[in-house]
Amino acid sequence: MTADGPDGLPPLHLPRRTRLLLYGALVLLVAAVVTALALGPGTTLAPLLAVAPVLAGATTRKARVPLLVGAAALLAVCLLESANAQLPSSVRISVPVTVLASTLASAASVVLVAARERELFQVRTVAEAAQRALLRPPAERIGGLRLAVRYVAAAAEARIGGDLYAVVETRFGVRVLLGDVQGHGLPAVETAADVLGVFREAARTEPDPALLAQRLDAALTARPGDGRFATALLLDVAPDRGPVRVVNCGHPPPLLRRAGAVSELAPPRPAPPLGLRELTGEDYRASAFEPSPGDLLLLHTDGVAEARDAEGRFYPLAQRLPGLHGGNPADLLDAVLADVRGWVGDAGLADDAALLALRWDH
């Protein structure tokens, strides 16, 4: 995000429909002035000039713009009234006062809106910095492994949420985490930050991915208060393209696309989400699969799988994935997100969505 506009704000962007409405109002205003000149003595449409500073204020963040336009409108009113001697005194007084009041109100509105947009811009800048600190993009290539991630917040102005991911290179291989914290808002972000912090430290010291999951579970259980939990996938990718170990902690299973066919890597038995192991007493266990050159593994959160169309149907990721094209993981993730957006239409995503793809080139 760049601040190229006035006072450190991003440039003003008006949607096409808004611009058309403003152009229409301007045309009507000009027509009213022309009509006022044609009507002759005794009648006037000069009060409509009070709209001019309002229109100007809608197209700028600088208070001087509606002030200058208002001054021009006030001058036009004076000229129209001087050419129309038959107007009553009440009209001659009320019209300039109306234009002046409209000008001052428009300028004040521009100042207020600019201040609020500046505050919002600063908040979004901080949110982007927080996202870069929490959700660090992985390298596009690690040895023979290619990676890509995408994160989409459901709220239009949000940058971070409860979904999380991390990729860490260690002496044990590449350790991958993708998860989804229960809930929304700042408490979910705080929980995600705790999980990521523990993972980045423990991934470098704990060789067993199942025990790594237990450490994450213990960290969530030890958090005071809210009792939040998180579903998660942990991957242990061997540096020599050996077996990939997967620990599924109550998360949607990853999808393996091999030779055009897609299959789910479902765990051999269910395991609880992180933070709930004490309730079930179940240990986390790792399953494994042997990757082949050209294999692509897609990890996702339920913001993708639970995206709904206008009829309330869930997005069928496993069924649509074979038909989505992408020469590399990044292109495929972009294709998935575009397909999801087409599926949900104007309703938009109801939840944050995170996607992480890995492809073995050799």
Side-chain angles (χ1 to χ4, degrees), residues 23-231:
Y23 292 153
L26 181 60
V27 170
L28 290 176
L29 184 61
V30 173
V33 173
V34 173
T35 303
L37 294 173
L39 287 175
T43 59
T44 182
L45 296 178
L48 293 178
L49 288 172
V51 177
V54 177
L55 294 178
T59 63
T60 183
R61 295 189 183 92
K62 297 180 180 179
R64 65 175 178 268
V65 174
L67 289 175
L68 292 174
V69 173
L74 192 60
L75 177 61
V77 166
C78 294
L79 293 175
L80 289 172
E81 290 185 351
S82 65
N84 196 343
Q86 298 183 15
L87 290 176
S89 299
S90 59
V91 174
R92 291 179 176 276
I93 296 173
S94 63
V95 173
V97 171
T98 301
V99 173
L100 180 59
S102 175
T103 300
L104 296 178
S106 298
S109 176
V110 168
V111 172
L112 178 61
V113 171
R116 289 179 175 175
E117 287 191 352
R118 188 179 300 108
E119 181 180 358
L120 176 61
F121 177 78
Q122 292 171 349
V123 169
R124 294 180 66 185
T125 301
V126 171
E128 287 186 348
Q131 183 188 43
R132 288 192 295 270
L134 289 178
L135 304 177
R136 305 166 191 169
E140 294 182 2
R141 183 183 292 273
I142 302 176
L145 189 67
R146 300 185 68 176
L147 305 97
V149 296
R150 294 291 185 271
Y151 183 94
V152 179
E157 299 301 329
R159 287 295 181 269
I160 52 178
D163 288 3
L164 57 97
Y165 61 81
V167 178
V168 181
E169 293 184 70
T170 73
R171 58 193 175 93
F172 311 114
V174 179
R175 321 299 288 273
V176 177
L177 168 68
L178 184 105
D180 183 359
V181 175
Q182 169 248 346
H184 301 279
L186 286 178
V189 175
E190 292 173 356
T191 304
D194 287 347
V195 173
L196 288 168
V198 174
F199 173 77
R200 288 176 177 137
E201 183 276 328
R204 302 181 186 279
T205 58
E206 179 54 67
D208 188 336
L211 295 180
L212 174 58
Q214 290 188 25
R215 290 180 62 171
L216 296 177
D217 172 84
L220 271 186
T221 303
R223 293 185 82 251
D226 58 13
R228 291 183 181 272
F229 62 87
T231 64

Side-chain angles (χ1 to χ4, degrees), residues 303-305 307-308 315 317 320 324 334-345 348-349 353 355:
V304 176
R308 296 173 183 257
Y315 176 72
L317 178 58
R320 297 178 73 91
L324 300 178
D334 290 337
V336 171
L337 287 176
D339 197 49
V340 172
R341 291 188 176 104
W343 180 268
V344 300
L349 292 174
L355 294 157

Side-chain angles (χ1 to χ4, degrees), residues 233 235 244 246 248 252-256 263-268 287-289 297:
L233 284 170
L235 269 63
V244 175
V246 181
N248 190 323
L255 300 175
L256 176 64
S263 59
E264 285 189 347
L265 298 183
S287 57
F289 78 97
L297 191 66

